[in-house]
Amino acid sequence: MKNEKIVWMSKADSFEVIDVRKASGNFLPGLLNKGKEKEIGEGIIIIQSFEPKPLYKAYTDLGYEYYTEKINETEYKTYFFRISKREMSQKSGDMPFKPTSILNYKEIDSRLADTVVNFWEFIWEKENPAIDLKTKLLLSLANAVGAGRYRQATRELIKAYSIGLKTEELDELFSLFVWNQGIGYFSSEIGPSTLFKTYKFIKSQEKLGKDRSEIMEKLVELFGDKNPDVKTI
């Protein structure tokens, strides 16, 4: 329920209110944990200076309906109400690396952040996309490598792995980097990068017989937002 007032809005006075307009750092994991903790029939109100579209799919996946009010150009109030309990899938809310960089745009101007959110939604949350999500992530990864943006490339690799990317696909991808970028560039720039460390880590863990969920847990620990080579805020 995106923008249709419904019956449960009468219970909104009892919802926990979380105002993140002045929050700093990556508070998105905390918001998602709040969503997981609520019982059916409970709700949360999140106040942000731009429309919090990155949260919509995550909360819907947890079993919430939502309604957003635009109070003014720099204040949005979103009501989330839990109607069922479901587990997040990796293809939506539980995928690592939410678009935290949007918070940087908020520091400049909340209206700019809102514009960036809408563009992000158009690219990554488009209904019935012609290009599947894994392919989009690999294209984004390759473009990032071509531009020398290894922070972005690392994030895209881990996101793609979280939704089923195989090491055989990574082998071919890195072979293409050698072909397109050249042996010299690969040796001096790609080989020592965090991106290649992430690739090697995945392969080594799979050889040890670790399953994808175990590997993802370690990837987020080693190459997540706390890693200065990967974080965006």
Side-chain angles (χ1 to χ4, degrees):
M1 293 290 177
K2 189 172 183 181
N3 276 316
E4 299 175 6
K5 287 196 175 182
I6 43 182
V7 175
W8 52 258
M9 282 293 291
S10 62
K11 303 178 181 180
D13 288 344
S14 66
F15 292 4
E16 180 179 0
V17 179
I18 305 174
D19 190 339
V20 295
R21 285 175 293 178
K22 295 182 179 180
S24 60
N26 183 10
F27 52 80
L28 289 174
L31 292 181
L32 294 179
N33 286 333
K34 280 284 186 183
K36 293 175 183 177
E37 293 168 0
K38 295 298 180 183
E39 300 296 329
I40 294 173
E42 295 182 335
I44 300 172
I45 299 173
I46 294 176
I47 303 174
Q48 181 57 290
S49 52
F50 55 86
E51 189 175 357
K53 290 182 178 180
L55 290 176
Y56 290 166
K57 194 168 185 180
Y59 268 79
T60 300
D61 213 37
L62 283 170
Y64 283 81
E65 292 182 345
Y66 64 90
Y67 171 75
T68 297
E69 287 182 340
K70 181 178 180 181
I71 308 302
N72 55 52
E73 290 298 325
T74 59
E75 182 178 347
Y76 290 81
K77 184 180 289 187
T78 301
Y79 303 79
F80 292 100
F81 181 74
R82 195 161 207 176
I83 59 171
S84 64
K85 278 197 171 184
R86 299 200 298 266
E87 294 294 325
M88 283 185 180
S89 67
Q90 285 288 5
K91 290 189 177 181
S92 56
D94 224 14
M95 184 186 290
F97 302 129
K98 300 296 182 296
T100 51
S101 59
I102 291 170
L103 300 176
N104 292 328
Y105 296 100
K106 186 177 75 169
E107 294 293 328
I108 302 170
D109 192 300
S110 295
R111 293 166 297 180
L112 176 59
D114 197 47
T115 299
V116 173
V117 166
N118 288 326
F119 190 35
W120 173 86
E121 182 185 44
F122 174 75
I123 299 298
W124 297 107
E125 297 289 344
K126 189 175 183 179
E127 291 186 17
N128 303 315
I131 303 175
D132 65 89
L133 180 57
K134 186 174 74 171
T135 302
K136 278 187 177 180
L137 288 167
L138 291 179
L139 287 170
S140 183
L141 191 167
N143 286 333
V145 168
R149 297 195 302 266
Y150 295 107
R151 184 191 308 271
Q152 177 190 355
T154 302
R155 295 169 70 89
E156 307 298 45
L157 189 157
I158 295 173
K159 286 189 280 188
Y161 187 74
S162 79
I163 60 171
L165 181 69
K166 298 177 181 178
T167 51
E168 293 84 358
E169 293 174 292
L170 285 172
D171 293 340
E172 292 191 11
L173 182 65
F174 278 91
S175 296
L176 280 170
F177 291 153
V178 177
W179 174 262
N180 286 309
Q181 302 295 330
I183 290 174
Y185 186 85
F186 189 96
S187 300
S188 66
E189 302 299 328
I190 298 177
S193 69
T194 304
L195 172 69
F196 198 65
K197 290 176 185 176
T198 305
Y199 164 64
K200 290 193 295 182
F201 178 80
I202 291 172
K203 293 194 72 171
S204 67
Q205 293 299 295
E206 288 194 351
K207 285 179 180 178
L208 291 173
K210 301 292 180 67
D211 63 34
R212 192 174 296 264
S213 61
E214 290 180 283
I215 297 172
M216 276 303 305
E217 187 175 341
K218 290 297 293 182
L219 282 173
V220 172
E221 178 184 334
L222 295 172
F223 304 103
D225 281 324
K226 293 182 180 179
N227 187 318
D229 293 325
V230 178
K231 69 179 183 179
T232 59
I233 56 172

